[in-house]
Amino acid sequence: AQTVTQSQPEMSVQEAETVTLSCTYDTSENNYYLFWYKQPPSRQMILVIRQEAYKQQNATENRFSVNFQKAAKSFSLKISDSQLGDTAMYFCALAGNNRKLIWGLGTSLAVNP
Amino acid sequence: GAGVSQSPSNKVTEKGKDVELRCDPISGHTALYWYRQSLGQGLEFLIYFQGNSAPDKSGLPSDRFSAERTGGSVSTLTIQRTQQEDSAVYLCASDRTLDTIEQFFGPGTRLTVL
């Protein structure tokens, strides 16, 4: 079975600082994809970043980057220069051959002014 | 272009009634997914469509749940004889194909069963 674990239910960071959200996963498949989604209070789930497991290079999207450690099955999200608008729930998710997303329980991030 | 839309935004119903939740995917997206987000269970997969067919219904929690998709576009999730444990946010997502692996989500329907 595929599982995704987020061990940090809540985190906070000061505006302009850097924060790292943790995610570990388990899968027996060789080809899979990892995602970080953001869900603000509006409830809209927004894709932040995705990583193909066969790519060794860590994905980067502007202020968001990941540290993908395939052997350790770890996929952390780093948010640089945190902004107030980054306040949201962040979900780590995994998609294997069947393409359905398996989700972690989320990390609630608060960015403080 | 327009994103994924869902209706209604909120639905309050009485236990035992049937409800229909609607999802309009992004135009041209062939893959469509339904997920449920509840306080106790987090996010869970319900069903997905490739075109109008549903190859994987394994996530539907009971036979009270069904879904269909017509014309390769709009999808309806139906819950019959609703129970209080069905209260949750129902999220729909679409993807260009099954292989692009980039799901775009709608705003969800919050269902409350009294």
Side-chain angles (χ1 to χ4, degrees), chain A residues 6-63:
Chain A
Q6 292 178 252
S7 58
Q8 305 152 314
E10 295 180 353
M11 293 193 71
S12 63
V13 64
Q14 293 298 121
E15 196 174 6
E17 298 288 305
T18 295
V19 64
T20 299
L21 308 184
S22 301
C23 173
T24 57
Y25 62 92
D26 193 20
T27 180
S28 58
E29 298 183 16
N30 290 323
N31 295 319
Y32 54 91
Y33 296 78
L34 293 161
F35 306 85
W36 279 98
Y37 278 89
K38 167 185 175 181
Q39 188 178 40
S42 67
R43 208 168 66 200
Q44 182 81 48
M45 196 71 78
I46 301 164
L47 177 63
V48 175
I49 201 166
R50 70 196 282 265
Q51 173 85 39
E52 294 92 336
Y54 62 85
K55 290 188 177 179
Q56 292 186 335
Q57 186 172 5
N58 289 325
T60 299
E61 287 288 340
N62 301 314
R63 297 182 295 107

Side-chain angles (χ1 to χ4, degrees), chain A residues 32-35 37 39 41-47 50 52 89 91-106, chain B residues 4 8-10 33 35 37 40-45 48 56 58-59 89 91 98-110:
Chain A
Y32 54 91
Y33 296 78
L34 293 161
F35 306 85
Y37 278 89
Q39 188 178 40
S42 67
R43 208 168 66 200
Q44 182 81 48
M45 196 71 78
I46 301 164
L47 177 63
R50 70 196 282 265
E52 294 92 336
M89 282 290 290
F91 292 94
C92 180
L94 164 73
N97 291 329
N98 59 19
R99 304 305 191 231
K100 61 187 182 185
L101 289 169
I102 305 300
W103 302 82
L105 292 179
Chain B
V4 179
S9 177
N10 291 283
Y33 301 78
Y35 296 88
Q37 185 175 22
Q41 302 294 325
L43 278 146
E44 51 183 334
F45 164 82
Y48 83 87
D56 187 351
S58 62
V89 174
L91 293 168
L98 282 181
D99 294 325
T100 44
I101 326 292
E102 189 168 357
Q103 297 178 27
F104 294 88
F105 281 79
T109 294
R110 181 178 296 280

